Structure formats: structure tokens, C-alpha cells
Amino acid sequence: MNRDIVGLPAGYRDLLFRDAEVRRGIENEFASVFASAGFREIIPSAVEYLDLYTRGNQGIRERAMRFLDREDNLLALRADFTPAVARIVTAHLRDMPSPVRVWYSGPVFRKTDRHRGQYQEFSQIGAELIGGNPAGADCEILDVALNCLSKSGFPDASVHVNHAGIFRGIVNGLGLGASELAEVRSAIDRKDMRALGSRLEELGVKGSVRGQVGTLSRCVGDSRALAAAASSIENEESREAIASLESLASHLPQWRERITFDLTEIDEMEYYTGVMFTFLSPAHSVELGRGGRYDSLMREFGTDLPAVGFSFSMDSLGECA
Amino acid sequence: MKNCVRIALPKGRLYDSGTALLARAGIEIAPADGSRKLVFPDRDGRFEFIPLKPVDIPVYVESGTIDAGIVGSDILREVEADVYEPVDLGIGKCRLVLAAASGLALPAAGSLRVATKYPRTTERFFRGKQLHVHIVKLDGSVEIAPLLGLADAIVDLVETGRTLRENGMRVIEDVASVSAKLIVNRTAMKTKSVDVRHLITQLDTVVYENPGQQD
């Protein structure tokens, strides 16, 4: 094979000088926020067993870059940080203070569709808080994330906040089968509310519950919007979830202007179990990162600890800087 | 920066009905000033329109380069773009069908050659039936492929079925029913929520609650 050695494979790029300096600057600001909040850096291995990605998030496994080692074990380039953090914390929990506060920064690799102009190497920076009191941890992690954005040149960045328990509480009582539930989730994920309404009606879901799903699909705004949604919802799990969002925001008055309650988005992969964050740059109309509570992931690694974290796309941060 | 909501309009069969629907929703393209611009504002300066080839629209909207667009569900399913599709606009209705020469029985086993402009949709359709097929991707005049011997069957759009009959073919099975959708970028729904929601509500209203003057 005679390939041009000065070229690069499709889906990859070099970042030179100015682009590299911008990212270095952002990473340094994040690092100092993390250090003062008591988070310590870890550098997970760049190579994992492919099976690491079987737990929790199926979508990532399909997109991992895989290869074989000398013993023909299936390996993958790092496709996500969070499972690696879960693996590390599970292995070294006894040597770590509780709760565990870690941060990471580096590349992840995922297959993308050909010819869509997407890269296959992404750069992420994020943090995880494992253990401790969940309500306090949610507050702490959101505060750290917003501090990172504020200190690194994104003072107008906003966060849309939701809670997986709100939707879960509404659909749990419906007695839908797995495939019907997947259909309902997919219609909500596409925001096709007419199709969703008629499907729910076909499935025999009563009008008041269809009304609640409709309420969620419109609920975006401040605490008044959240209170309005709460008033129409009857089940205990959803109400508790809404109350925990109210409490989260009330403990972060310094970020009131930055927080929007947005109950419209659901987590189609069912990865998050509690609070969910989407970080945005309104000025650039770009999503900067995501995060949330994922208590069931640690359990899959054999450590039954609550966990919450966030991850920013360094590529998006670099573009908007 | 990009504070105005940009809407992609499909060139071709959906253009006139799509712009008419937007006009009834109170969103009108400002009259052309004779220049050869590629981007047109609306009368209120709240939206911008960009006419594009339909197959390109999901890619633009998924990437966020354009905030919203009108596109046929045939193309949307084929491109598999990760976008919101909040309103089925009910225009451009037709069917995507599997068709073959009259008299040809499809083999229950063994392999079939199928010509289509929709390779991914076709692959999904046959995978669902657990049938193995060879797909030939074409860009136009798909109905002629069986006549010329390139394929045994086709997967293509039909409106009336006349073209099929004229080429000696018949519909074997529906693959999907097709209509035009409003699609919206996931981030724009949050960052430009006031104008994007206005667009969705207005279109939903003219399509479902006030469908009177449909042309």
C-alpha cells in the first residue's frame, strides 16, 4: 500500500497553534476550578475491552472503534469517559476518599456516518462525583460546571435542567410493554406530539395522562413554568422529581439567570436516573455539553453508589471561544 | 450572530405547497428584488429562507447550520438524521412501494436485485422481512431498471401508479406512506425557542385546526 504520508485519514484533523492555544487556555481554567472544588484529575487508559461499553449505554458500543489484541480479545479505543471512570472507581474505591471527586480531559473515538462532515475523534472534558448525598451532589456538580463555563469565557452559557423521574413517573403506571414504551419514547424524542397523542390513545392511555405528557412537551421556562407543570401531575414519583429540581435551583441562587427548566427532552437511552443537564451557548446556538445523575451505571459495575457528572465537548467550546 | 431562524425550503415538488402553507401560517417570503440571492428574509425579518435540494435538507438541519426545514418523510428516513419532526404537514402525500413486473413472483428464498433511490430504507424493509436482497442504488428513472434487466424489482415513490402501469409493473407491497414534515434542529429548539415554537404552533394550527383553504 502506498499512501500519501503527509495526508490524514478521513474524519481526523490536526489542531495547530491558535486552535491548540484556545483549548489549552480553556482546559487550564477548568483545571483550576476543579482543583479549588476538590476534584482530582485521572487519565483513564485510551484502550478498553469493548465489553466495557456494553454496560449502560448500548449506542456507544455500536460506534466504538474496535480491534483485536494478541490474544484476539475485542478491544476499543476509548469511546466514552464515564464507563472508564466507573471501572476505575470500582477497582480503587477502598483507596479513595468518599465521596469520590474526579475530572478528566482527553480524546474519545466514535464512528460517524460517512460524508456528513463529522470528525471521529472528539475531545471531552468533564467531572464525576460518586457517592455522598445525592441532592447535595447534584447542586455541587452543577455549580462546578457553571463555574467552569463562567471562568473559561462563557459567562452567558445556560443550562437546561430536567429530571428522568418526571417522565418515568408518568409512564410507569401505564402498564405499557417494552416495545410500546420504546415507541412512545421515540415519538417524544422526535417531538411528534400529534403522532404521540394518537398512539397513546390507541394504547388505551386515559385522557388525563395524555394531557400530562402534553404538559411536559411544552414545559420550558423558569420556576413558574415548573410549578405550572407540577400542578397537573398526580403521581408521587414525578412530583418528587419536580420538587428536587425546585430545591436544586433554590440552592443555586447565584445561577438563577443561567438555569432553564426544560421538561420536553427525554433521555431516550435511559442512561440517566435523576437530574439531567444540557449546557448551551445561546449566542452561538451550540450545545456545549451534557450531564446528569446515573445511579444504575455504578451498580452494573458492582458498586452500588449514586453518581452524577457532566462532560463538555472541547470541540464545541473551542469553536465558540 | 445567527439569531434569526433559518428555514430550508425543498426545491421541486414540495416547494409551492410548502411556501403556501408557511404563508397561511403567517410566515411569508418577502418579494424577490430581482437579485440572485440564495437566502431570502420573511416579511417580518424573523425568519430566513434557503431553497435547497431536498436530500440535503436533513444534513443541514442536523448539523445546526440551518435551524428548521420542510422535507419529505421518504428522504428523512433514508438520511436517518437526528432531528425533531414536530409537525406532519400533510402535503406531498404519496407512497413508497415495492414494485415488480406484472407476472413476476418474488422468490420466497434466494436473492432478489432491487433498484432504488432509497438504499437504506430498502435494506431496513427487507431486513424486517428476513429476506436477502442485492440493492442497486440509482439516482433517477428507477422504473426502467427492471425493463433493462438491471434489477428484478424496484422500491420507489408512487402517486397515481400510472408510471408503473406504463412500464408493465405492479405494486407488490407498501414500504411506507410518505408526507412532508417540518424538521427542527435539536439545539435551535432550545436556543431559539420563542421563534421556533411560534413556527411549530402556527404550522400545527393551519394543518390541523384550520385546514379549510388547503389548495
Side-chain angles (χ1 to χ4, degrees), chain B residues 182-202:
Chain B
L182 173 73
I183 61 171
V184 174
N185 173 264
R186 289 182 170 264
T187 304
M189 184 78 109
K190 299 187 181 67
T191 56
K192 302 182 178 181
S193 94
V194 172
D195 288 332
V196 168
R197 277 166 199 281
H198 173 79
L199 173 72
I200 292 171
T201 314
Q202 293 295 103

Side-chain angles (χ1 to χ4, degrees), chain A residues 105-121:
Chain A
S105 174
V108 299
F109 298 85
R110 293 176 191 169
K111 290 177 198 158
T112 53
D113 276 2
R114 279 167 66 85
H115 303 158
R116 293 254 184 124
Q118 294 167 333
Y119 296 106
Q120 308 208 92
E121 177 179 358

Side-chain angles (χ1 to χ4, degrees), chain A residues 197-220:
Chain A
S198 47
R199 189 69 187 115
L200 287 174
E201 200 171 347
E202 279 169 31
L203 292 169
V205 173
K206 60 179 190 208
S208 66
V209 176
R210 293 205 304 275
Q212 291 172 20
V213 174
T215 303
L216 293 195
S217 77
R218 286 184 298 271
C219 181
V220 183

Side-chain angles (χ1 to χ4, degrees), chain B residues 118-134:
Chain B
Y118 303 92
R120 284 180 166 184
T121 311
T122 302
E123 203 186 320
R124 270 201 308 273
F125 174 74
F126 282 102
R127 204 188 305 134
K129 298 184 150 313
Q130 302 192 322
L131 275 174
H132 181 68
V133 292
H134 291 289

